[in-house]
């Protein structure tokens, strides 16, 4: 069985879970209708299922290589990415003024989910381009926009972001890459960057690097960092390609997974670059790209979870071991209670992660004109990134378990999902950093956005009591318990908050999951596949929030009570 894009699931979530109709009715997207969105999802689903998914295994077995200084990409990737570009998918979120489709972020999030499930290594290429396009649209000068945006949107050129250095990972402010003013409006960039996703390839006309560097008068830390456009090939004034820039790929990282994605060590040796935004304001500009990427990475986790679930379900239906406890002659291992439990957990959590990501997309789309929605979207971003990628990893690992010993054998393909998913909880800000952002910066409003979400859950659950009383009461109670946990977090000193950030984020996601499953059951009339899955989640998985919130009440004191010596016992 190969991956099939779950188009019907997106449509259901749009219609019944995240109020996507509000996006279509907004002034920002008045020229987009439901029929158009469905057609877009179906076309993207075909591309993901029929063109991209068949390359996933080959990309893992035949990874990108650096040969004589030239990156050779995995077989078939160039052609598939050519089709991605020709279909307009790279520029789907870009402004029509720059040649893009101008689609809602929610739709783009669904498309990125499909492409990630089809082949995560390949899907990283358009995601990097989309983030760079957004950063340029918001911060670049008109001259830079005129040169770069048409080529990036069309897919003729591609984009990367260069943050990390050997001595500057999560602490970006420790970077050592230097920028010098050339006196003609350009800058000379010197330094080394690592972990540069799709830092080079053998098919794009040009590779456009957004590079963080420090000018001589830049202050220490993140406040003194500037952002520069540093192309592989320097464009002429008319937009044609001129001379090669002073940069090159030093090596490709040898990674646990996503082998088809060339992750480069980049060296800049006085390379010519142009300022994006204002001097010393690079992090502000880069965060525009990073926020886009964090939601994009979140749905990478969703895509992997979907693909791993599909593979595990197919295997469990075909694999016969022992006698069926249900008395079904020749039935697969799906009849065994523990296997059924694993598959239900995988499917239930995949739905939750997808719903959270799309709810975040809806809020960010509406947030263009509604400040409350903008705040809600900002609050949901770290949850969407961290929970969805944790779930991608967990579901992929469970998929290996469903396969049993065969899951540990590379030929079945189950292990690839587990390897590929692992990076998603690390890059674009580790999930611990996402959780710290949630309890820190995202609660600087006194919890206003968070409390508003809990109010919404309780209002819906109260109304649902008339139809599904037991499930509705369980969800209402979970929201109230979470409210108490939120109130506790708001009283804690910041480092105590950081000590409980991860369980708090997980608890919030668990309660959101109960809310979304309850909405699904109500939409289905309380009887059907989604209703039965909702009952499974609310009875068996939602109660986890209570144990997580018990940790929240502890703060960080017991963590620091353990000395480094204690940890060597």
């Amino acid at each position: 069985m190969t991956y099939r894009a779950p188009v019907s699931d997106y449509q259901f979530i749009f219609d019944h879970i995240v109020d996507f109709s509000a996006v279509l009715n907004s002034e920002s997207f008045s020229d987009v209708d439901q029929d158009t969105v469905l057609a877009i999802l179906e076309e993207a689903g075909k591309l993901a299922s029929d063109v991209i998914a068949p390359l996933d295994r080959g990309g893992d077995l035949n990874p990108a290589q650096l040969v004589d200084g030239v990156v050779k990409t995995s077989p078939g990737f160039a052609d598939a990415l050519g089709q991605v570009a020709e279909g307009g998918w790279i520029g789907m979120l870009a402004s029509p003024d720059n040649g893009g489709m101008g689609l809602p972020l929610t739709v783009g999030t669904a498309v990125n989910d499909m492409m990630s499930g089809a082949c995560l290594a390949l899907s990283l290429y358009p995601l990097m381009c989309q983030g760079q396009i957004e950063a340029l649209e918001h911060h670049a000068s008109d001259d830079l926009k005129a040169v770069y945006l048409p080529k990036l949107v069309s897919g003729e050129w591609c984009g990367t972001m260069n943050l990390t250095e050997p001595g500057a990972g999560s602490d970006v402010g420790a970077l050592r890459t230097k920028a010098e003013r050339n006196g003609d409006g350009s800058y000379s960039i010197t330094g080394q960057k690592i972990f540069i996703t799709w830092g080079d390839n053998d098919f794009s006309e040009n590779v456009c690097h957004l590079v963080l560097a420090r000018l001589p008068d830049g202050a220490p830390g993140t406040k003194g960092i500037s952002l520069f456009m540093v192309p592989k090939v320097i464009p002429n004034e008319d937009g044609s390609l001129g001379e090669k820039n002073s940069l090159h790929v030093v090596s490709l990282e040898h990674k646990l997974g996503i082998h088809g994605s060339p992750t480069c060590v980049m060296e800049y040796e006085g390379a010519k670059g142009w300022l994006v935004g204002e001097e010393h304001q690079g992090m502000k500009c880069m965060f525009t790209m990073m926020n886009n990427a964090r939601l994009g990475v979140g749905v990478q986790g969703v895509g992997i979870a979907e693909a791993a679930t599909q593979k595990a379900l197919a295997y469990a239906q075909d694999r016969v071991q022992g006698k069926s406890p249900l008395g079904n002659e020749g039935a697969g291992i799906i009849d065994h209670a523990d296997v059924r439990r694993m598959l239900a957990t995988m499917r239930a959590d995949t739905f939750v992660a997808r719903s959270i990501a799309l709810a975040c997309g809806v809020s960010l789309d509406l947030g263009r004109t509604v400040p409350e929605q903008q705040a809600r979207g900002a609050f949901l971003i770290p949850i969407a990134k961290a929970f969805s990628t944790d779930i991608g990893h967990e579901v992929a690992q469970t998929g290996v378990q469903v396969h049993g010993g065969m899951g540990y054998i590379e030929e079945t393909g189950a292990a690839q999902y587990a390897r590929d998913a692992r990076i998603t909880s690390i890059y674009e800000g580790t999930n611990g950093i996402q959780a710290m952002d949630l309890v820190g910066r995202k609660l600087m409003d006194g919890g206003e956005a968070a409390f508003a979400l809990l109010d919404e859950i309780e209002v819906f659950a109260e109304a649902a009591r008339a139809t599904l009383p037991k499930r509705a009461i369980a969800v209402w109670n979970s929201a109230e318990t979470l409210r108490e946990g939120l109130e506790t977090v708001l009283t804690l000193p910041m480092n105590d908050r950081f000590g409980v950030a991860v369980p708090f984020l997980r608890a919030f996601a668990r309660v959101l999951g109960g809310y979304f499953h309850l909405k699904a059951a109500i939409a289905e009339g309380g009887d059907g596949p989604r209703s039965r899955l909702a009952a499974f989640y609310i009875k068996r998985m939602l109660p986890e929030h209570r144990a997580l919130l018990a940790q929240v009440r502890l703060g960080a004191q017991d963590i620091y009570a353990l000395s480094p010596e204690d940890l060597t016992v």
Side-chain angles (χ1 to χ4, degrees):
M1 174 188 173
T2 58
Y3 169 86
R4 305 306 301 177
V7 174
S8 62
D9 204 36
Y10 306 124
Q11 195 63 45
F12 179 85
I13 293 172
F14 283 178
D15 291 345
H16 302 291
I17 307 301
V18 299
D19 193 21
F20 181 63
S21 61
V23 175
L24 297 182
N25 292 329
S26 68
E27 183 179 346
S28 302
F29 302 104
S30 58
D31 57 343
V32 182
D33 58 34
Q34 289 187 347
D35 291 340
T36 301
V37 169
L38 180 57
I40 287 169
L41 293 177
E42 288 177 341
E43 285 304 310
K46 292 176 185 176
L47 178 68
S49 303
D50 301 335
V51 176
I52 298 175
L55 300 175
D56 192 35
R57 190 72 182 133
D60 187 57
L61 297 173
N62 301 284
Q65 298 181 34
L66 184 63
V67 181
D68 298 327
V70 177
V71 170
K72 301 292 184 183
T73 53
S74 300
F77 274 38
D79 178 65
L81 286 167
Q83 294 186 55
V84 171
E86 289 168 13
W89 301 109
I90 291 175
M92 62 182 168
L93 302 177
S95 169
D97 294 340
N98 299 315
M101 293 187 191
L103 293 175
L105 177 61
T106 311
V107 177
T109 299
V111 173
N112 286 333
D113 178 345
M114 291 187 237
M115 290 190 180
S116 299
C119 179
L120 179 55
L122 184 147
S123 73
L124 287 165
Y125 177 97
L127 182 67
M128 293 295 99
C129 297
Q130 290 164 13
Q132 185 171 117
I133 289 167
E134 184 179 24
L136 293 179
E137 285 186 333
H138 281 84
H139 301 291
S141 67
D142 290 341
D143 288 343
L144 277 183
K145 290 178 183 178
V147 172
Y148 288 91
L149 283 177
K151 297 291 188 179
L152 288 165
V153 169
S154 70
E156 296 170 78
W157 297 357
C158 68
T160 75
M161 61 177 175
N162 288 233
L163 288 77
T164 308
E165 300 181 7
S170 298
D171 183 11
V172 179
L175 66 78
R176 300 176 64 181
T177 298
K178 299 178 181 179
E180 299 280 350
R181 300 177 183 89
N182 290 330
D184 61 357
S186 68
Y187 297 76
S188 291
I189 312 300
T190 300
Q192 188 178 95
K193 298 289 184 176
I194 62 173
F195 304 155
I196 309 307
T197 299
W198 277 95
D200 198 25
N201 64 74
D202 52 0
F203 55 85
S204 294
E205 292 181 1
N206 204 359
V207 183
C208 308
H209 302 284
L210 283 182
V211 183
L212 288 177
R214 196 184 312 276
L215 287 161
D217 55 351
T222 57
K223 292 182 179 179
I225 296 174
S226 301
L227 180 65
F228 302 90
M229 169 60 76
V230 188
K232 177 181 178 180
V233 183
I234 300 172
N236 296 316
E237 290 185 5
D238 62 0
S240 62
L241 295 178
E243 63 181 20
K244 188 180 184 304
N245 213 345
S246 300
L247 59 90
H248 66 277
V249 179
V250 175
S251 62
L252 298 186
E253 308 286 6
H254 298 282
K255 308 185 297 291
L256 177 67
I258 56 170
H259 294 150
S261 169
T263 305
C264 303
V265 176
M266 300 295 304
E267 189 76 33
Y268 297 89
E269 301 168 328
K272 184 170 284 191
W274 286 265
L275 185 69
V276 177
E278 300 178 7
E279 290 187 352
H280 317 309
Q281 297 296 313
M283 287 305 296
K284 176 182 177 182
C285 302
M286 187 61 87
F287 262 113
T288 300
M289 186 175 183
M290 289 171 66
N291 276 332
N292 178 300
R294 282 172 176 170
L295 181 55
V297 170
V299 292
Q300 288 175 16
V302 180
I304 287 287
E306 178 67 43
T309 299
Q310 289 187 21
K311 180 174 281 292
L313 178 60
Y315 182 83
Q317 290 173 319
D318 292 340
R319 176 68 164 168
V320 177
Q321 285 282 281
K323 183 179 179 181
S324 165
L326 302 180
N328 296 323
E329 187 69 26
I333 58 174
I334 193 171
D335 271 11
H336 295 283
D338 187 56
V339 175
R340 188 78 61 94
R341 176 195 60 81
M342 287 190 285
L343 292 167
T345 301
M346 294 167 76
R347 176 53 66 200
D349 259 346
T350 300
F351 173 79
V352 172
R354 178 171 289 132
S355 296
I356 291 173
L358 294 177
C360 183
V362 165
S363 290
L364 293 174
D365 282 329
L366 295 176
R368 292 182 173 212
T369 56
V370 182
E372 294 82 4
Q373 287 289 340
Q374 186 179 43
R376 175 181 170 132
F379 181 80
L380 286 172
I381 279 178
I383 302 177
K385 194 279 179 182
F387 179 75
S388 298
T389 54
D390 279 348
I391 291 307
H393 172 62
E394 292 169 20
V395 167
Q397 292 289 348
T398 304
V400 173
Q401 192 72 16
V402 170
H403 282 76
M406 296 305 296
Y408 202 67
I409 304 300
E410 287 287 356
E411 284 80 358
T412 64
Q416 182 186 339
Y417 294 132
R419 289 187 286 103
D420 286 354
R422 190 62 190 89
I423 187 58
T424 61
S425 58
I426 298 173
Y427 58 21
E428 292 309 325
T430 67
N431 286 358
I433 289 175
Q434 301 301 319
M436 291 162 68
D437 177 48
L438 182 71
V439 301
R441 185 179 307 169
K442 300 305 167 56
L443 292 183
M444 289 176 66
D445 62 353
E448 183 177 344
F451 283 124
L453 260 173
L454 295 178
D455 291 343
E456 178 183 310
I457 294 170
E458 291 184 358
V459 167
F460 183 86
E462 186 66 39
R465 290 191 186 202
T467 306
L468 297 171
K470 291 183 179 179
R471 278 173 265 180
I473 290 170
V475 171
W476 191 95
N477 287 338
S478 73
E480 192 62 19
T481 305
L482 181 56
R483 184 185 299 275
E484 295 169 1
L486 173 58
E487 291 169 347
T488 297
V489 169
L490 290 169
T491 68
L492 296 174
M494 194 55 69
N495 201 51
D496 280 288
R497 292 190 192 188
F498 291 165
V500 301
V502 168
F504 178 75
L505 185 149
R506 182 75 170 215
F508 215 109
R510 271 283 163 256
V511 174
L512 285 172
Y515 174 41
F516 293 140
H517 271 291
L518 180 62
K519 291 185 81 171
I522 292 293
E524 197 178 50
D527 183 27
R530 292 183 184 273
S531 298
R532 289 187 286 274
L533 191 65
F536 174 88
Y537 181 92
I538 292 170
K539 290 177 181 178
R540 291 178 176 265
M541 301 174 69
L542 178 59
E544 180 189 3
H545 80 280
R546 289 196 291 268
L548 293 164
L549 291 171
Q551 297 181 56
V552 169
R553 291 189 289 272
L554 298 175
Q557 291 185 6
D558 62 319
I559 298 173
Y560 286 110
L562 291 163
S563 69
E565 291 74 19
D566 293 335
L567 302 178
T568 63
V569 174

